[in-house]
Amino acid sequence: ARLLEAQNLRALRRMSEATRQLLRAALSARPDAQVLDTLVRHVPVRVLLAGADGRVRLRAAAGHGPDAGRLSALLGRLFAGAGPRIEVDGFDEPGFRTVAAYPLRSTRDATLGAVGVGAGTALGPVERNIVEVGAGLLEAQVRQRTSGALAPGQLATGLLLHPETALSGTPGQAGAARDLLAQCTSSARSGALRVVQGIRAGRHGEPRPAAESPVRELLQWRR
């Protein structure tokens, strides 16, 4: 009983530490790449991230992936499904004896991408849990990017074309503007908003370094 208790405690500590580092990676400047790198540090796997078109965007861990044709077939089955699901396969290549593909789904169940995980042997329960936490964080990232991507442009279009009715017109028009504003800020429709603009100043009036472009700074503020 003491041995089992100690084993369970080690598993919980490992899971807790991996989750903490995955959350930290998801909040970094390069969340997708950092989450993949963190996964391969905690689990003996090779990981890849595919976009909505099925093309591989990022890989983590050394070595080449499986044959592109077989990988496309696996991702094709994943993208053709619906709801929570995992596609499992195996390739006769080192590090990819077992392969699992997890979909990255939108709130409306559209498949926005996929995470492929290859391992030399079957993963244990703790390792599978760590992989699923990583896949969940990547799904949250892609949802955040896609759900709010069109809202700023739609809100700006409404304000520019119909400024007199966008916010003070009919209840339907005003409600649509509030919905778009809530999407832009990832907040509740009825929540109060505080608008803050930050400008990074150089020391003693020095000019901004060339590497710090306004676009990069804007993306940091939006994140």
Side-chain angles (χ1 to χ4, degrees), residues 96-174:
F96 288 90
R97 303 297 182 185
T98 62
V99 179
Y102 299 79
L104 306 180
R105 300 176 299 133
S106 71
T107 54
R108 298 184 179 181
D109 201 31
T111 303
L112 306 174
V115 179
V117 180
T121 58
L123 299 179
V126 174
E127 295 168 332
R128 287 198 302 271
N129 285 338
I130 294 174
V131 169
E132 289 171 1
V133 169
L137 289 172
L138 291 169
E139 183 176 78
Q141 290 286 340
V142 73
R143 281 186 180 186
Q144 183 181 24
R145 285 194 293 266
T146 55
S147 64
L150 298 178
Q154 293 173 340
L155 179 61
T157 300
L159 293 174
L160 289 171
L161 296 180
H162 309 287
E164 69 284 352
T165 60
L167 294 176
S168 59
T170 65
Q173 292 169 327

Side-chain angles (χ1 to χ4, degrees), residues 12 34-35 56 62 69 73 77 79 83 126 142 144-145 149 194 221:
L12 288 173
Q34 291 295 325
V35 168
V56 177
R77 295 197 303 272
F79 278 72
V126 174
V142 73
Q144 183 181 24
R145 285 194 293 266
R194 173 178 295 173
W221 275 101

Side-chain angles (χ1 to χ4, degrees), residues 36-37 40-41 43-48 59-65 96 118:
L36 295 188
D37 290 342
V40 300
R41 286 202 305 270
V43 184
V45 293
R46 298 179 182 181
V47 190
L48 59 85
R59 295 179 185 268
H64 297 288
F96 288 90

Side-chain angles (χ1 to χ4, degrees), residues 14-15 24 36 38 71 81 97 111 124 160 173 214 218 222:
R14 181 183 177 190
M15 184 69 191
R24 181 182 297 174
L36 295 188
T38 303
L71 185 63
R97 303 297 182 185
T111 303
L160 289 171
Q173 292 169 327
L218 176 62
R222 180 174 180 183

